[in-house]
Amino acid sequence: MLVPRLSPVFQNLCRINQSIARNVVSQQRRLKSTQEAEDEPIKWSQSEASKWKAEYSRAGGPPIERVWWSEYSVMISVAAFMIYFCYLREENDLDERIYAPLTETVVGIEKAFPDYNFHQKPDFIIYHEENKRKKLEAAKQAEQKR
């Protein structure tokens, strides 16, 4: 009773084995043909290198099709970013921490660099502080005139 039920299973297994064997043989044939093709010299006119132009080497590759407005959108975004962060943004606590002397922010830096004078402020900080002081004085004078 068990044998008649198992016969379709064995038939299917035999079919699967045959299909696997056919796939293996076809893969071996393809490998042989590609190995034979690799042994032959490459024709320049049929290679990818024949399509490469000298101007691509300077430009970094062949031209990419882009939307005409993509460059403008990038320029406008960068300009808006720079305007906001350089001119419109107000100073906050982080800016004050940046302008603080290194001896206050980094502990032990005087021991690591004994020859450097950390107590002298850099020129750009002196310039920034003078401009800030001038703006405050101008604002006070404007209030006094009212």
Side-chain angles (χ1 to χ4, degrees):
M1 238 176 154
L2 186 62
V3 174
R5 289 184 184 169
L6 290 178
S7 68
V9 172
F10 287 124
Q11 288 175 355
N12 285 337
L13 285 175
C14 291
R15 286 184 196 148
I16 292 171
N17 285 339
Q18 288 174 353
S19 66
I20 290 173
R22 281 189 212 122
N23 287 340
V24 169
V25 169
S26 65
Q27 286 178 354
Q28 288 176 349
R29 287 181 187 156
R30 276 189 243 135
L31 283 174
K32 285 182 183 177
S33 66
T34 56
Q35 288 174 350
E36 290 172 3
E38 288 176 359
D39 292 340
E40 296 175 6
I42 299 172
K43 293 182 181 178
W44 170 258
S45 60
Q46 295 175 352
S47 70
E48 292 291 321
S50 66
K51 298 173 187 169
W52 189 266
K53 295 182 181 177
E55 68 185 56
Y56 298 166
S57 297
R58 291 188 302 274
I64 300 170
E65 292 185 26
R66 296 183 188 150
V67 184
W68 65 269
W69 48 266
S70 65
E71 296 173 4
Y72 298 112
S73 65
V74 170
M75 286 191 301
I76 290 170
S77 300
V78 169
F81 177 81
M82 296 299 288
I83 288 170
Y84 174 75
F85 280 100
C86 294
Y87 294 108
L88 301 178
R89 187 178 66 93
E90 294 180 8
E91 290 187 9
N92 55 24
D93 297 341
L94 292 176
D95 294 322
E96 292 174 6
R97 289 169 109 190
I98 290 172
Y99 293 126
L102 279 177
T103 54
E104 293 177 10
T105 56
V106 180
V107 178
I109 196 166
E110 290 178 328
K111 293 177 184 175
F113 299 98
D115 298 335
Y116 189 77
N117 185 7
F118 288 101
H119 301 290
Q120 180 181 0
K121 293 183 178 179
D123 293 336
F124 71 93
I125 292 178
I126 294 170
Y127 176 78
H128 175 73
E129 289 176 348
E130 286 177 4
N131 282 343
K132 191 174 181 181
R133 184 181 46 81
K134 288 178 184 177
K135 286 179 183 178
L136 290 173
E137 288 176 1
K140 286 181 183 179
Q141 289 177 358
E143 287 180 13
Q144 289 175 357
K145 288 181 182 179
R146 288 184 190 175

